[in-house]
Amino acid sequence: MIGRCFIAAFGCALLVGILPSLVTAADGARRYAASDSHSGYVHRIDLYDASNTKINTSAENPTPYSPQQTCGRCHDFATISHGWHFSAIDGDALPGRGGQPWIWNDSRTGTHLPLSYRNWQGTFAPDKVGISRWQMAAKFGGYLPGGGPGSKESLAANASASDRTKITGELLVDCMICHHNAGSGYSPFLWTEQIEIENFPYAPAVAMGLGTVDGNLKRLKDDFDPQASGAAEKMPKFAYEPDRIGDDGKVFFDLVRKPKNDACYYCHTNVDADAVAGNRWLHDDDIHIRAGIACADCHRNGLDHQTVRGFQGEVHESGANIASLSCQGCHLGETPTAPVAAEMAGRLGAPRPTHRGIPPLHFDKLNCTACHSGPLPQSSPPRLVNAIVHRLGEHQRRTGLELPAIVSPVMLPLNAQSSESPIAKYTPHRLYWPSYWATINGDDITPLHPDESFELLRKALKVRGDFTSELAEVKLPLSKRSELLGPERVKVKPEELTEAESTKLATAEAELRTAQVQSRLAEALAAIAIKYPESTPVFISGGSAFIRSAEAGIKELDSTAIQVAADFVAWPLAHNVRPATQSWGASGCAECHRTDSPFFGANVLPVGLIPNQTLAAFPIHQRQQVDMVRIGQWNQMFAGRSTFKYASFAAMGITIMIALSAWLSGRPSLIDFTIGWGRFIKRAGYLGFMLCVLALGVTSFGSLWFNGHVLGYPLLVHLMAAGAFVFLLLLLATSHLPSNNISKLNRSTWISRASLWGLVIASIVTAGTMLTSMLPLFDTAGLLQAAWLHRYAAVVVIVLAIVHSLGQLRPSSR
């Protein structure tokens, strides 16, 4: 009885403890209800402002709608607003490979400063440069979906005296910037335009076309107080479009659950300069887009909006298995060599590539994008224009030469994430050369805040709009023209000048331009030195650093540490993806394995901002950390690859026929190797064959034992010895296979003859698997099986070579 009472009491207590949490969970589930239908949900909903008050759209100067309060009534806004596109300020909280930095452009000072909160290589943290979160939101918020550096929490944690948060408020998260339906009338450029004039509260409504705003917050002075008496009269005036409001006060939101490609492209477009110049019709779309696959089909996310980036080895914040959403995972499974699980590969009908004849070693050294992504590599990487950097939403004329100059593709090693250890794989990159003003203390370089640069340098530079062109603008004084041309020719029109006169003027202008550039830049550096007397002022441009010289000009700074800071900033690319027939290497091995291949030999020319800056192109292999001597030797081997294959297959065919003939007939070779030169050739061939076996064993099994792989010079020597092995095997079979009748041999020669036959047969298998692997016959799995057979046969060759060579040392065997 007591036991039953105890159990009942315990059950009641447990129920009382659990029931509140169950009710809370149920309430939470009911609060964020969903239609869960593939057809979606028609959003005809009321509008709510930032104070969570239903908006009277017909009132005079009504409040703009708040996406958080309007959409957040049915959607978990707190969870949504912390995904990848909102979490830039989290720094190292989100792992993964580097990406495109924010580039602060100020053409007045020649500043193109790479910024990132994520500690990506070559970038500066805005907080450390003195750029506040509000300034980042005002500068780049037009290419953000809101939140991030402009969120209320971020602004409060990183407040600055120069911020105008009191006037603009936070940068609102706008759901529609990604979820608007194509053709709905939503304009992401209007969003960008409103952010630039600091109309943070009005941007979502204006971009969606719900209303219009008269005025902007940017014109209000820094000390403006929106709460002060009469402040409302100075604020922008807003009005809703009556046609967008239903009779019941509800608004139709033309949206989609899965973002359309056009929404992604607003921030993620990259266009070749050649296409901008008028040849866009000659360029192809991404093969996946042409097949009907949308960006969001691979770059997926859950409610947390932690968008899958799609690189190999990516670990998702949610813990979900996303391996099949990378290139390799979708097409090949978790690894290119593992059996493909049905649930891991073939997403969206992705075909499994066979990669016939391509050695699996390539998959250890190359990312999928190395062969399949971006424009085809060229000897000089071409320029491109980028959505965020070059503002591809604005309606304007472009030349493709806009600054900063981004070039692509350039092959660079990338440390891909791995469950074991980072593996450097070659990946196509985009890159650009930063330019900015900074101070040096020892080996530390600190960029100036871009706004500070302008305030310090505007008088010295005398630039109003474009740094490079205005520094280069010179006009010869009338007295100088008279001196060069004579008084009677001083006012002659340019088209009427003789060639000699034009040359004189051009030379004089060049000298004046050089002096002007030197003097203005020196004055600018001097202005920085006045404010920072304990530091050395420097200007970074085109991969070089410049300081003042004693001759009242500038000079290049020779410092390894500073040159690293001035180096290009690169980030990997993945799109546009080309079809297999247009992949790099599709036309043959020599496409990459040749001396002038763009893979290692692309010449990259830095782009500087200083007029007439001396710039020197460099081959990209200088930044790839490769041994070009070994690469050159490797390329030489491929020069005669076709001839080698034909000769090797011929030698293998003859070897097999000789072995069959000796086995079936039991007669010795037609050539007598026991007299004269024959005896010498027989012994030299035997010795050469055994040395090849030794070299092959050391470079393969020795390398595997000590290094765990066969790469570099061991692989190069191994392949060279393998070529000799094929032809020496022919000589060995011709000179050493006289009989198959082992029963008639005496006991002292039985082991020697048997081991010789086994050695020849195992060598044929070893060489045959090598040669057939050079043909486009086997896929990756077949090549791996051939490699295992090759390896086991090689073990047999080494063992029998040792046995036979020891037998040859016995007097009775000679």
Side-chain angles (χ1 to χ4, degrees), residues 161-175:
S162 60
D163 290 353
R164 292 164 55 85
T165 309
K166 181 176 65 174
I167 301 173
T168 65
E170 66 175 317
L171 180 63
L172 300 175
V173 172
D174 186 7
C175 309

Side-chain angles (χ1 to χ4, degrees), residues 102 135-146 171 177 191-192 195:
W102 297 105
Q135 289 173 322
M136 286 293 290
K139 183 73 173 179
F140 301 109
Y143 294 93
L144 284 169
L171 180 63
I177 197 169
W191 161 269
T192 301
I195 300 302

Side-chain angles (χ1 to χ4, degrees), residues 504-518:
K504 286 182 181 180
L505 292 179
T507 302
E509 287 177 352
E511 293 174 353
L512 182 59
R513 181 176 297 109
T514 300
Q516 176 174 286
V517 170
Q518 290 277 325

